[in-house]
Amino acid sequence: MNDVIGLLQRHRSIRKFKPDEVPEEALEAIIRSAQMASTSSNVQAYSVIAVTNPDTKRALSVVAGNQLHVEQCPVLLVWCADLSRDRLACEREGVEMVSGTMENFIVATVDVALAAQNAAIAAESLGLGIVYIGGIRNNLREATRLLNVPKLVYPVFGMCLGYPEQESSLRPRLPLRAALHRETYEQAAQAEAIAEYDRTTRDYYIERTKGKRDTTWSKEMADKFKRPARTYMREYLEEQGFRFD
């Protein structure tokens, strides 16, 4: 329909990067674009830590499950939900901030996700590639130590950034009718949409791996959700000053 929609619909994750540095002006343009994302009540409850130090990237790659691209990408952006700056603003006005609510936790987490996606689009418009790194939540205490993260801040995910050195294929998404509902939630349409998507993903994996991987989206989801993951998260978040009362 237009260049922006075309860019969005060509998104692919990049896990192999050229060694070229990301120019400072490009990085600043990307973060300024992130800052223009929608934010709840203008709280702007996020911060971004740009990591280029090889030792830090290497340590964070271990945290993320030994993902080599975390170590090898030119820049690792660590996106943090951040209420600490809002607390400082309250203190300037002599107000004690009520931070420990589920709502404030959600606001900060949503804010950082919106900003990061703006950054991803901006990066891709400049010919750069990205991949999100949820694996940084494998050990947030170690990530917190490495990045000197203060209270009321927590790293939500990383983002590898650099110039692509691979041509990865587009991963198919669920059929539109699975995601788009009209007027009310259409539960009846989900089973058929999932069955269709299972056929699509099975063909995709067989073609992509030349027959070495024969699976479906349902099988992947069953494997992912059959056991609890990162069960320490609530305890860690409470250590960081977030509360869920």
Side-chain angles (χ1 to χ4, degrees), residues 160-207:
C160 296
L161 178 68
Y163 291 100
E165 197 174 59
Q166 66 176 156
E167 286 292 333
S168 59
S169 58
L170 295 175
R171 183 176 298 205
R173 296 300 199 241
L174 283 158
L176 185 63
R177 68 180 183 279
L180 176 61
H181 303 252
R182 307 285 185 177
E183 308 303 340
T184 62
Y185 194 99
E186 300 173 12
Q187 179 67 36
Q190 295 300 309
E192 184 180 342
I194 291 171
E196 177 186 337
Y197 191 50
D198 279 346
R199 293 190 292 271
T200 299
T201 51
R202 181 174 184 270
D203 291 344
Y204 165 78
Y205 285 125
I206 287 174
E207 180 179 356

Side-chain angles (χ1 to χ4, degrees), residues 89-148:
C90 289
E91 289 174 354
R92 285 175 60 87
E93 298 298 319
V95 172
E96 183 178 354
M97 179 182 183
V98 179
S99 60
T101 67
M102 179 67 79
E103 171 64 10
N104 286 337
F105 169 75
I106 292 173
V107 163
T109 304
V110 170
D111 260 20
V112 72
L114 293 173
Q117 189 60 17
N118 256 30
I121 296 163
E124 290 175 351
S125 78
L126 295 174
L128 292 152
I130 67 101
V131 62
Y132 283 96
I133 306 296
I136 201 166
R137 296 192 303 276
N138 290 347
N139 187 349
L140 281 177
R141 291 187 177 97
E142 178 63 7
T144 294
R145 185 190 69 79
L146 289 166
L147 299 170
N148 196 31

